[in-house]
């Protein structure tokens, strides 16, 4: 009877151990599958950037760091050590975050360039050139988050320049219109003044020559 109980306890203990081992293996396998799925997604994000001719240096660095770190942790896990894949997933997820920002910045930059070219037809944007070049450089330098911010600021600066030039054009136009109206309304008086001044100058010149 005692032997039966002992055997039962041993079998129960073995079952518990096997269950725990199976659970741990399943959890580990799920974590590995999750990382590998993120690797596939990250690679697809890089491929999309390449397809749209967007620089991938930043995205590729995050991808390589993530995959290399995964290899190291996976090796440790196979040796029976407990590992955390959170940092690996962080690098892999960052790849697609960079992709999202790059696509948004690229779309906004395309619209902004069109707006700049259109505005330059009617306004002198030479004062805006430094800002414009800075925006282009931020995108080519893969500082996509900065590009989005600079574009928003660029619209404001460009609008201010256009508004100032429009105000000056209106001022000059108004002055020209006022002058034209004055001449039209007072052309007789102006003509008389011109004639009188001409006669005075002529007589003065003759008097000077005689002296």
């Amino acid at each position: 009877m005692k032997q039966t109980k002992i055997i039962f306890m041993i079998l129960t203990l073995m079952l518990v151990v096997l269950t725990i081992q199976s659970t741990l293996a399943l959890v580990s396998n799920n974590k590995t599958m999750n990382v590998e799925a993120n690797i596939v997604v990250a690679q697809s994000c890089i491929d999309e950037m390449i397809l749209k001719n967007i620089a991938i240096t930043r995205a590729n660095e995050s991808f390589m760091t993530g995959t290399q770190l995964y290899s190291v942790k996976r090796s440790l896990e196979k040796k029976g050590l407990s590992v955390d894949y959170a940092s690996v997933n962080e690098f892999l997820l960052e790849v697609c975050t960079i992709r999202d920002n790059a696509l948004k910045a690229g779309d906004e930059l395309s619209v902004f360039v069109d707006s700049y070219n259109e505005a330059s037809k009617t306004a002198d944007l030479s004062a805006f050139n430094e800002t414009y070049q800075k925006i282009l450089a931020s995108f080519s330098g893969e500082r996509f988050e900065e590009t989005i911010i600079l574009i928003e600021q660029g619209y404001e600066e460009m609008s201010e320049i256009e508004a100032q030039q429009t105000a000056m054009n209106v001022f000059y136009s108004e002055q020209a219109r006022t002058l034209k109206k004055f001449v039209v309304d007072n052309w007789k008086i102006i003509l008389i003044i011109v004639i009188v001044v001409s006669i005075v100058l002529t007589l003065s010149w003759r008097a000077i020559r005689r002296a």
Side-chain angles (χ1 to χ4, degrees):
M1 190 71 175
K2 289 183 178 180
Q3 290 181 345
T4 303
K5 289 183 177 180
I6 293 174
I7 293 173
F8 177 77
M9 290 177 64
I10 292 174
L11 291 175
T12 302
L13 182 61
M14 289 177 62
L15 180 61
V16 170
V17 171
L18 288 174
T19 301
I20 293 174
Q21 289 179 337
S22 298
T23 302
L24 292 175
L26 180 61
V27 170
S28 175
N29 186 52
N30 287 339
K31 288 182 178 179
T32 301
M33 291 177 62
N34 183 47
V35 174
E36 291 177 349
N38 286 337
I39 290 176
V40 173
V41 172
Q43 183 62 64
S44 68
C45 288
I46 291 178
D47 291 341
E48 184 177 0
M49 292 175 70
I50 294 174
L51 186 63
K52 296 191 175 183
N53 295 318
I54 299 176
I56 62 168
T57 302
R58 273 185 63 196
N60 197 51
E61 286 177 355
S62 294
F63 181 77
M64 293 302 297
T65 301
T67 53
Q68 289 171 2
L69 188 59
Y70 171 65
S71 297
V72 172
K73 287 181 176 289
R74 184 68 177 132
S75 177
L76 293 174
E77 187 178 42
K78 288 181 178 179
K79 293 179 181 180
L81 298 177
S82 177
V83 297
D84 184 3
Y85 289 106
S87 57
V88 175
N89 287 322
E90 184 177 340
F91 281 110
L92 295 174
L93 294 174
E94 185 181 25
V95 174
C96 290
T97 299
I98 294 173
R99 185 278 313 269
D100 293 341
N101 290 329
L103 294 179
K104 181 179 179 181
D107 291 341
E108 292 191 10
L109 181 60
S110 178
V111 175
F112 181 77
V113 170
D114 289 341
S115 298
Y116 171 83
N117 291 333
E118 190 64 28
S120 63
K121 295 178 182 179
T122 56
D124 180 9
L125 298 180
S126 56
F128 183 70
N129 186 62
E130 183 177 349
T131 300
Y132 182 68
Q133 294 301 324
K134 186 177 180 180
I135 293 172
L136 297 180
S138 69
F139 185 78
S140 61
E142 300 184 47
R143 301 187 302 277
F144 305 119
E145 300 82 1
E146 180 182 337
T147 302
I148 296 171
I149 296 173
L150 289 176
I151 286 175
E152 183 177 349
Q153 296 173 349
Y155 276 119
E156 294 179 1
E157 183 178 341
M158 193 162 60
S159 295
E160 289 177 1
I161 293 175
E162 289 183 286
Q164 291 174 357
Q165 293 186 8
T166 298
M168 290 300 296
N169 290 336
V170 170
F171 173 77
Y172 290 136
S173 177
E174 182 63 23
Q175 292 301 311
R177 189 186 68 81
T178 301
L179 179 60
K180 180 180 179 181
K181 185 176 185 303
F182 176 80
V183 172
V184 171
D185 293 344
N186 302 280
W187 69 271
K188 292 181 180 180
I189 297 175
I190 295 173
L191 181 60
I192 293 172
I193 293 174
V194 170
I195 292 173
V196 170
V197 170
S198 298
I199 292 173
V200 171
L201 289 176
T202 300
L203 293 175
S204 299
W205 175 248
R206 288 179 179 178
I208 293 173
R209 290 186 63 184
R210 289 174 184 175

